[in-house]
Amino acid sequence: MVKNIAVIRGDGIGPEIVGEALRVLDKVAELYGHTFNYTDVDMGGCAIDKYGDPLPEAELKKCVDADSVLLGAVGGDKWNDVPGHMRPEKGLLRLRAGMGVYSNNRPAKIWRQLADASPLKKEIVDAGIDFIIVRELIGGIYFGEHKTEGDTAIDVLTYSEAEIERIGRIGFETAQKRNKKLCSVEKSNVLDSSRLWKKVMHRLAEEYPDVELSDMLVDNCAMQIVKNPSQFDVIVTENMFGDILSDEASMITGSIGMIPSSSLGATKCGLYEPIHGSAPDIAGQDKANPIGTILSAAMMLRYSYDMTEEANAIENAVSAYLDGGYRTADIMSDGGKLVGCKQCGELIVKNLKKE
Ligand code: IPM
Ligand code: MG
């Protein structure tokens, strides 16, 4: 197959980690006879420096016109003082909204090789950590009105029934493909938007009788993720709660550097990115863990292109690499062999085999 991939290297460690993911994709193309064409897109701080805009329209268009988009990370201290509507992160939010990718899928799964890297007690880890956070991505407080008037700042949180329903359905469908348990997370003891969220989820539940729906308040969920993570199969939640809980969930699996994500809307053109940030403190030092981005590329093959075998091949190559005892600094533990970003990518490519 021939696929056109828009590639956003971004800021900080972005260019390094994306470079390794492309190395892996090139190897997949060679093994399976595909052609992946890459179109570079400027977004984030680098686009502010170049065009004075974190995502110019022409750059967004390249993404919308592609078959899918691979993104490293954006942002950094250098752009901290630019006005809110011009921040690098604004480019990312505009990209998500412009592509209409309302459903963000963030797996929290512990690799058996990395059980020691989890900060949780062994018996909690041994009970199993394997769940998915389905995060609403283009609504809620992220996209409400933001303004500052004198000494008062205002951020507006809005959800319509239609917005809740479309992400709710993804939650139910994701659970149907797994262990059929869906936990809807909200703050219905305080927020109107959460009470609407809960009502819509329960109405939808009637259409998915094979899925067991439960409700959980977000503060309790934050606690349960560290206390008893094995209880979760699929969590569905709104934009900001999903942002916070997914960082927490990633950490219990060992490192945020390992976690990929997919974002999809009405079409197969998805956005794939690791859930970590641009880590400016280690940028350009060949220290970053590219696995979150490499696994995001695997998700791209699986969800946008139905290339299941190819996606499995990448995931197996990552597993074989970890079996070899190699570790980037973020997941280093006793007895591991320290490697940099580039060597990590090269070793994963070496382990790639046609399934
Ligand atoms: C994430 C990030 C972004 C978000 C930032 C960079 C805007 O934290 O993808 O989780 O809050 O969505
Ligand atoms: Mg986040």
Side-chain angles (χ1 to χ4, degrees), residues 74 89-90 92-93 96 104 106 135 137 142 239 242-244 246-247 261 273-277:
V74 296
E89 291 81 359
K90 199 74 195 176
L92 177 57
L93 300 185
R96 290 171 178 171
N104 181 222
R106 299 188 162 188
R135 169 187 175 193
L137 202 60
Y142 276 58
N239 203 345
D243 177 45
I244 298 167
S246 61
D247 266 33
S261 81
E273 52 175 319
I275 78 161
H276 60 72

mmCIF file of all heavy atoms in Angstrom, residues 74 89-90 92-93 96 104 106 135 137 142 239 242-244 246-247 261 273-277, ligand 1:
data_model
loop_
_atom_site.group_PDB
_atom_site.id
_atom_site.type_symbol
_atom_site.label_atom_id
_atom_site.label_comp_id
_atom_site.label_asym_id
_atom_site.label_seq_id
_atom_site.Cartn_x
_atom_site.Cartn_y
_atom_site.Cartn_z
ATOM 1 N N VAL A 74 5.327 19.069 21.272
ATOM 2 C CA VAL A 74 5.518 20.517 21.073
ATOM 3 C C VAL A 74 5.614 21.244 22.409
ATOM 4 O O VAL A 74 5.177 20.747 23.438
ATOM 5 C CB VAL A 74 4.372 21.156 20.243
ATOM 6 C CG1 VAL A 74 4.340 20.609 18.837
ATOM 7 C CG2 VAL A 74 3.027 21.000 20.942
ATOM 8 N N GLU A 89 1.210 24.933 22.416
ATOM 9 C CA GLU A 89 0.132 23.981 22.710
ATOM 10 C C GLU A 89 -1.138 24.331 21.944
ATOM 11 O O GLU A 89 -1.957 23.463 21.645
ATOM 12 C CB GLU A 89 -0.175 23.957 24.210
ATOM 13 C CG GLU A 89 0.914 23.359 25.081
ATOM 14 C CD GLU A 89 2.053 24.331 25.398
ATOM 15 O OE1 GLU A 89 2.030 25.486 24.935
ATOM 16 O OE2 GLU A 89 2.984 23.912 26.132
ATOM 17 N N LYS A 90 -1.305 25.626 21.663
ATOM 18 C CA LYS A 90 -2.490 26.052 20.919
ATOM 19 C C LYS A 90 -2.483 25.411 19.532
ATOM 20 O O LYS A 90 -3.530 25.080 18.974
ATOM 21 C CB LYS A 90 -2.485 27.586 20.805
ATOM 22 C CG LYS A 90 -3.824 28.166 20.479
ATOM 23 C CD LYS A 90 -4.750 28.114 21.667
ATOM 24 C CE LYS A 90 -6.189 28.349 21.253
ATOM 25 N NZ LYS A 90 -7.082 28.206 22.396
ATOM 26 N N LEU A 92 -1.334 22.482 18.814
ATOM 27 C CA LEU A 92 -1.786 21.097 19.000
ATOM 28 C C LEU A 92 -3.309 21.043 19.140
ATOM 29 O O LEU A 92 -3.976 20.197 18.538
ATOM 30 C CB LEU A 92 -1.107 20.512 20.254
ATOM 31 C CG LEU A 92 -1.504 19.105 20.664
ATOM 32 C CD1 LEU A 92 -1.257 18.108 19.549
ATOM 33 C CD2 LEU A 92 -0.732 18.682 21.920
ATOM 34 N N LEU A 93 -3.859 21.962 19.913
ATOM 35 C CA LEU A 93 -5.318 21.970 20.101
ATOM 36 C C LEU A 93 -6.023 22.289 18.780
ATOM 37 O O LEU A 93 -7.037 21.683 18.448
ATOM 38 C CB LEU A 93 -5.718 22.978 21.190
ATOM 39 C CG LEU A 93 -5.118 22.715 22.576
ATOM 40 C CD1 LEU A 93 -5.676 23.691 23.607
ATOM 41 C CD2 LEU A 93 -5.368 21.283 23.040
ATOM 42 N N ARG A 96 -5.920 19.123 16.634
ATOM 43 C CA ARG A 96 -6.913 18.125 17.047
ATOM 44 C C ARG A 96 -8.307 18.546 16.585
ATOM 45 O O ARG A 96 -9.065 17.752 16.034
ATOM 46 C CB ARG A 96 -6.888 17.967 18.572
ATOM 47 C CG ARG A 96 -5.632 17.288 19.089
ATOM 48 C CD ARG A 96 -5.564 17.352 20.628
ATOM 49 N NE ARG A 96 -4.390 16.659 21.147
ATOM 50 C CZ ARG A 96 -4.004 16.709 22.429
ATOM 51 N NH1 ARG A 96 -4.703 17.417 23.309
ATOM 52 N NH2 ARG A 96 -2.934 16.053 22.829
ATOM 53 N N ASN A 104 -9.677 10.078 21.935
ATOM 54 C CA ASN A 104 -8.265 9.833 22.211
ATOM 55 C C ASN A 104 -8.156 8.562 23.062
ATOM 56 O O ASN A 104 -8.803 8.439 24.095
ATOM 57 C CB ASN A 104 -7.716 11.050 22.964
ATOM 58 C CG ASN A 104 -6.244 10.956 23.317
ATOM 59 O OD1 ASN A 104 -5.844 11.328 24.415
ATOM 60 N ND2 ASN A 104 -5.432 10.485 22.404
ATOM 61 N N ARG A 106 -5.748 6.087 25.133
ATOM 62 C CA ARG A 106 -4.445 6.038 25.807
ATOM 63 C C ARG A 106 -4.331 4.769 26.646
ATOM 64 O O ARG A 106 -4.928 4.667 27.727
ATOM 65 C CB ARG A 106 -4.277 7.274 26.705
ATOM 66 C CG ARG A 106 -4.323 8.549 25.904
ATOM 67 C CD ARG A 106 -3.972 9.783 26.713
ATOM 68 N NE ARG A 106 -3.618 10.855 25.781
ATOM 69 C CZ ARG A 106 -3.110 12.016 26.129
ATOM 70 N NH1 ARG A 106 -2.879 12.282 27.390
ATOM 71 N NH2 ARG A 106 -2.816 12.915 25.224
ATOM 72 N N ARG A 135 -10.383 9.290 26.125
ATOM 73 C CA ARG A 135 -10.498 10.698 26.524
ATOM 74 C C ARG A 135 -11.185 11.519 25.422
ATOM 75 O O ARG A 135 -10.743 11.484 24.274
ATOM 76 C CB ARG A 135 -9.080 11.237 26.787
ATOM 77 C CG ARG A 135 -8.988 12.732 26.953
ATOM 78 C CD ARG A 135 -7.521 13.194 27.038
ATOM 79 N NE ARG A 135 -7.443 14.644 27.068
ATOM 80 C CZ ARG A 135 -6.337 15.353 26.892
ATOM 81 N NH1 ARG A 135 -5.179 14.740 26.678
ATOM 82 N NH2 ARG A 135 -6.347 16.669 26.933
ATOM 83 N N LEU A 137 -11.556 14.622 23.268
ATOM 84 C CA LEU A 137 -10.368 15.412 22.964
ATOM 85 C C LEU A 137 -10.623 16.803 22.375
ATOM 86 O O LEU A 137 -9.706 17.618 22.326
ATOM 87 C CB LEU A 137 -9.463 14.613 22.006
ATOM 88 C CG LEU A 137 -8.000 14.996 21.958
ATOM 89 C CD1 LEU A 137 -7.306 14.860 23.305
ATOM 90 C CD2 LEU A 137 -7.245 14.190 20.912
ATOM 91 N N TYR A 142 -11.043 22.852 27.544
ATOM 92 C CA TYR A 142 -9.954 23.188 26.625
ATOM 93 C C TYR A 142 -10.428 24.104 25.502
ATOM 94 O O TYR A 142 -9.662 24.881 24.955
ATOM 95 C CB TYR A 142 -9.381 21.923 25.992
ATOM 96 C CG TYR A 142 -8.337 21.203 26.795
ATOM 97 C CD1 TYR A 142 -8.591 20.740 28.080
ATOM 98 C CD2 TYR A 142 -7.078 20.953 26.244
ATOM 99 C CE1 TYR A 142 -7.637 20.054 28.800
ATOM 100 C CE2 TYR A 142 -6.115 20.273 26.961
ATOM 101 C CZ TYR A 142 -6.391 19.828 28.233
ATOM 102 O OH TYR A 142 -5.432 19.144 28.932
ATOM 103 N N ASN A 239 -12.373 15.757 28.556
ATOM 104 C CA ASN A 239 -11.046 16.176 28.111
ATOM 105 C C ASN A 239 -10.040 16.402 29.252
ATOM 106 O O ASN A 239 -8.979 15.752 29.296
ATOM 107 C CB ASN A 239 -11.220 17.444 27.263
ATOM 108 C CG ASN A 239 -10.074 17.675 26.310
ATOM 109 O OD1 ASN A 239 -9.019 17.085 26.437
ATOM 110 N ND2 ASN A 239 -10.290 18.553 25.334
ATOM 111 N N GLY A 242 -9.355 13.397 31.525
ATOM 112 C CA GLY A 242 -8.579 12.395 30.784
ATOM 113 C C GLY A 242 -7.114 12.784 30.682
ATOM 114 O O GLY A 242 -6.217 11.936 30.727
ATOM 115 N N ASP A 243 -6.858 14.074 30.554
ATOM 116 C CA ASP A 243 -5.481 14.561 30.497
ATOM 117 C C ASP A 243 -4.762 14.196 31.795
ATOM 118 O O ASP A 243 -3.658 13.632 31.790
ATOM 119 C CB ASP A 243 -5.483 16.077 30.300
ATOM 120 C CG ASP A 243 -4.090 16.663 30.297
ATOM 121 O OD1 ASP A 243 -3.218 16.088 29.631
ATOM 122 O OD2 ASP A 243 -3.868 17.685 30.975
ATOM 123 N N ILE A 244 -5.400 14.490 32.896
ATOM 124 C CA ILE A 244 -4.762 14.288 34.203
ATOM 125 C C ILE A 244 -4.636 12.791 34.525
ATOM 126 O O ILE A 244 -3.557 12.305 34.898
ATOM 127 C CB ILE A 244 -5.581 15.026 35.295
ATOM 128 C CG1 ILE A 244 -5.586 16.532 35.003
ATOM 129 C CG2 ILE A 244 -4.997 14.735 36.682
ATOM 130 C CD1 ILE A 244 -6.598 17.330 35.802
ATOM 131 N N SER A 246 -4.572 10.276 32.559
ATOM 132 C CA SER A 246 -3.690 9.497 31.682
ATOM 133 C C SER A 246 -2.223 9.682 32.061
ATOM 134 O O SER A 246 -1.419 8.755 31.896
ATOM 135 C CB SER A 246 -3.940 9.792 30.208
ATOM 136 O OG SER A 246 -3.699 11.145 29.899
ATOM 137 N N ASP A 247 -1.847 10.833 32.582
ATOM 138 C CA ASP A 247 -0.470 10.977 33.086
ATOM 139 C C ASP A 247 -0.278 10.061 34.301
ATOM 140 O O ASP A 247 0.745 9.382 34.441
ATOM 141 C CB ASP A 247 -0.182 12.424 33.525
ATOM 142 C CG ASP A 247 0.456 13.252 32.423
ATOM 143 O OD1 ASP A 247 0.131 13.020 31.247
ATOM 144 O OD2 ASP A 247 1.280 14.138 32.736
ATOM 145 N N SER A 261 -0.475 7.023 21.837
ATOM 146 C CA SER A 261 -1.908 7.315 21.813
ATOM 147 C C SER A 261 -2.380 7.455 20.382
ATOM 148 O O SER A 261 -1.595 7.753 19.475
ATOM 149 C CB SER A 261 -2.229 8.583 22.604
ATOM 150 O OG SER A 261 -1.977 9.734 21.835
ATOM 151 N N GLU A 273 0.397 10.112 18.578
ATOM 152 C CA GLU A 273 1.437 10.836 19.319
ATOM 153 C C GLU A 273 1.684 10.147 20.662
ATOM 154 O O GLU A 273 0.769 9.584 21.255
ATOM 155 C CB GLU A 273 1.013 12.293 19.554
ATOM 156 C CG GLU A 273 -0.369 12.423 20.178
ATOM 157 C CD GLU A 273 -0.788 13.856 20.545
ATOM 158 O OE1 GLU A 273 0.059 14.600 21.062
ATOM 159 O OE2 GLU A 273 -1.953 14.198 20.337
ATOM 160 N N PRO A 274 2.928 10.224 21.139
ATOM 161 C CA PRO A 274 3.179 9.747 22.501
ATOM 162 C C PRO A 274 2.481 10.686 23.465
ATOM 163 O O PRO A 274 2.221 11.839 23.105
ATOM 164 C CB PRO A 274 4.700 9.853 22.637
ATOM 165 C CG PRO A 274 5.079 10.958 21.699
ATOM 166 C CD PRO A 274 4.123 10.854 20.542
ATOM 167 N N ILE A 275 2.192 10.237 24.696
ATOM 168 C CA ILE A 275 1.430 11.137 25.575
ATOM 169 C C ILE A 275 2.341 12.070 26.366
ATOM 170 O O ILE A 275 1.877 12.964 27.046
ATOM 171 C CB ILE A 275 0.471 10.368 26.516
ATOM 172 C CG1 ILE A 275 1.198 9.753 27.702
ATOM 173 C CG2 ILE A 275 -0.302 9.307 25.778
ATOM 174 C CD1 ILE A 275 0.222 9.424 28.829
ATOM 175 N N HIS A 276 3.654 11.869 26.262
ATOM 176 C CA HIS A 276 4.554 12.740 27.025
ATOM 177 C C HIS A 276 4.778 14.067 26.305
ATOM 178 O O HIS A 276 4.369 14.235 25.158
ATOM 179 C CB HIS A 276 5.895 12.037 27.263
ATOM 180 C CG HIS A 276 6.611 11.677 25.999
ATOM 181 N ND1 HIS A 276 7.209 12.623 25.203
ATOM 182 C CD2 HIS A 276 6.812 10.485 25.381
ATOM 183 C CE1 HIS A 276 7.760 12.019 24.161
ATOM 184 N NE2 HIS A 276 7.518 10.729 24.227
ATOM 185 N N GLY A 277 5.463 14.963 26.978
ATOM 186 C CA GLY A 277 5.725 16.285 26.412
ATOM 187 C C GLY A 277 7.072 16.360 25.712
ATOM 188 O O GLY A 277 7.679 15.332 25.382
HETATM 189 C C1 IPM B 1 -1.530 15.849 26.346
HETATM 190 C C2 IPM B 1 -0.852 17.165 26.652
HETATM 191 C C3 IPM B 1 -1.642 18.289 25.984
HETATM 192 C C4 IPM B 1 -3.049 18.259 26.552
HETATM 193 C C5 IPM B 1 -1.030 19.678 26.108
HETATM 194 C C6 IPM B 1 0.380 19.719 25.570
HETATM 195 C C7 IPM B 1 -1.891 20.744 25.476
HETATM 196 O O1 IPM B 1 -0.739 17.347 28.010
HETATM 197 O O2 IPM B 1 -1.632 15.501 25.154
HETATM 198 O O3 IPM B 1 -1.937 15.180 27.281
HETATM 199 O O4 IPM B 1 -3.289 18.827 27.629
HETATM 200 O O5 IPM B 1 -3.929 17.663 25.913
#
